[in-house]
Amino acid sequence: MSTQTLETRTRTTGIQMMTQPSKSRLVRALARHLVTIVIICFLLYPVAWLVAASFRPDNQVLSTLGLFGRFTLDNYRHGLNPAPSLHFSRFFLNSAVVALLAVIGNVFACTLTAYAFARLDFPFKRVLFAVLMATILLPYHVTLVPQYILFDKLSWLNTYIPLVLPKFLGADAFFIFLNIQFIRALPRELDDSARVDGCNHWQIFRRIIVPLSLPAMGTTAMFTFIASWNDFLGPLLYLSKTQLYTVPLGLNMFIDATGRSSYGSLFAMAVLSLVPLVAFFLAAQRMLTQGITTTGLK
């Protein structure tokens, strides 16, 4: 066998060894993408079915699991005007007011409390921090009855105060812990430099800690907005006047125990109720990602 033939066979074998792994990687990549697409379609199908059902006639809403059928906007027209003297936009306005106040209160109170635990030294700091963390294990429903009696004695029922005031008191231990983890990662030299320049604790918090803690604050704002917007039990306990209802209570009005529920209008308003959540998530997505990756949630 000639030397040239051996070199040709060696070159051919080398090329095959280089191309086979690349084809294998390509096949694996295509398989991964295909599985991912199937899982995404499986997860998004209920939402797609909800949107499709909201555009079907009311008597055909539950008739099929398909996504296509007769198209109508009657569900949205009837849903926005459930009663002659009532417009569903009122519920959106009420939910927006409660959610925004809850976000402002929770972000401010949790960040300020986290700064105190992360940067300041005061008596019984470790004990108070342990008590704070223990409240995470306390079920929300345990405190419902005492809170209801307290708010009733204060004549705060049928107001938004029971839904908003606890947010301004730093009662959410999980978000306080999240902000503590973030603030502890900030260099203490920044505080020392500001203190040399004459800043007190409030000025250090406002001018240094807050600007550098925006990712953690964005994460807190995002989850607080979602929890407040979707809260059903709190408004159900404290609000009995229809004009004060939030979106979850408004959606519940379409459910009739006698079997005359209006599912088309319910689905149409449920679709509209998702719009603020998606918009808020897109607006805070970058800070949410940074906040999760730079705190103890990573």
Side-chain angles (χ1 to χ4, degrees):
M1 185 177 296
S2 64
T3 307
Q4 185 177 0
T5 304
L6 289 174
E7 291 178 353
T8 304
R9 288 184 178 181
T10 304
R11 192 181 300 112
T12 304
T13 305
I15 293 173
Q16 289 177 348
M17 293 179 64
M18 292 178 62
T19 55
Q20 285 178 352
S22 64
K23 289 181 179 178
S24 178
R25 284 197 298 269
L26 179 61
V27 171
R28 287 198 297 269
L30 290 176
R32 283 197 300 269
H33 282 78
L34 181 61
V35 172
T36 303
I37 292 173
V38 171
I39 293 175
I40 291 175
C41 292
F42 181 77
L43 294 176
L44 292 181
Y45 177 77
V47 180
W49 184 87
L50 173 67
V51 176
S54 69
F55 289 104
R56 282 199 289 266
D58 195 46
N59 57 352
Q60 301 179 11
V61 169
L62 303 178
S63 62
T64 177
L65 293 178
L67 300 179
F68 303 100
R70 185 180 169 189
F71 181 86
T72 180
L73 293 176
D74 290 343
N75 294 329
Y76 286 87
R77 282 192 286 266
H78 296 158
L80 289 174
N81 295 281
S85 60
L86 186 62
H87 200 275
F88 204 87
S89 60
R90 178 74 183 183
F91 304 147
F92 278 102
L93 178 62
N94 296 340
S95 283
V97 171
V98 173
L100 290 178
L101 289 176
V103 168
I104 294 172
N106 215 26
V107 170
F108 175 76
C110 291
T111 308
L112 188 62
T113 308
Y115 171 74
F117 278 108
R119 286 293 201 256
L120 305 184
D121 292 323
F122 51 87
F124 307 109
K125 176 180 175 179
R126 292 181 179 274
V127 176
L128 293 176
F129 183 72
V131 172
L132 174 69
M133 297 308 299
T135 60
I136 295 179
L137 306 177
L138 189 65
Y140 170 70
H141 304 85
V142 173
T143 60
L144 276 181
V145 174
Q147 284 183 350
Y148 183 86
I149 296 174
L150 174 63
F151 293 142
D152 184 30
K153 296 294 183 183
L154 295 173
S155 300
W156 285 354
L157 299 185
N158 278 318
T159 69
Y160 296 136
I161 297 178
L163 303 176
V164 173
L165 183 62
K167 304 296 183 183
F168 285 87
L169 301 179
D172 206 325
F174 173 77
F175 294 117
I176 294 175
F177 176 72
L178 185 145
N179 283 273
I180 288 175
Q181 294 295 97
F182 191 90
I183 294 175
R184 281 176 175 171
L186 299 178
R188 282 184 175 270
E189 289 77 9
L190 297 174
D191 300 24
D192 298 335
S193 300
R195 200 168 289 111
V196 170
D197 292 337
C199 292
N200 54 30
H201 286 299
W202 171 249
Q203 291 171 328
I204 294 174
F205 171 75
R206 184 169 57 88
R207 296 182 178 181
I208 296 178
I209 300 300
V210 169
L212 295 177
S213 301
L214 288 180
M217 296 170 66
T219 305
T220 304
M222 182 69 205
F223 285 109
T224 303
F225 183 84
I226 293 175
S228 180
W229 185 270
N230 293 329
D231 186 20
F232 177 76
L233 185 57
L236 181 65
L237 287 175
Y238 302 123
L239 304 177
S240 59
K241 295 181 179 178
T242 307
Q243 294 295 331
L244 297 176
Y245 277 9
T246 56
V247 170
L249 293 184
L251 293 176
N252 190 52
M253 292 175 57
F254 295 109
I255 303 297
D256 192 345
T258 61
R260 300 172 58 185
S261 303
S262 179
Y263 290 108
S265 301
L266 171 64
F267 291 167
M269 294 303 100
V271 171
L272 292 183
S273 69
L274 296 177
V275 175
L277 294 176
V278 175
F280 197 90
F281 174 79
L282 294 177
Q285 182 182 11
R286 184 175 180 181
M287 287 191 295
L288 175 66
T289 306
Q290 293 178 357
I292 291 176
T293 56
T294 54
T295 60
L297 294 180
K298 63 184 178 180

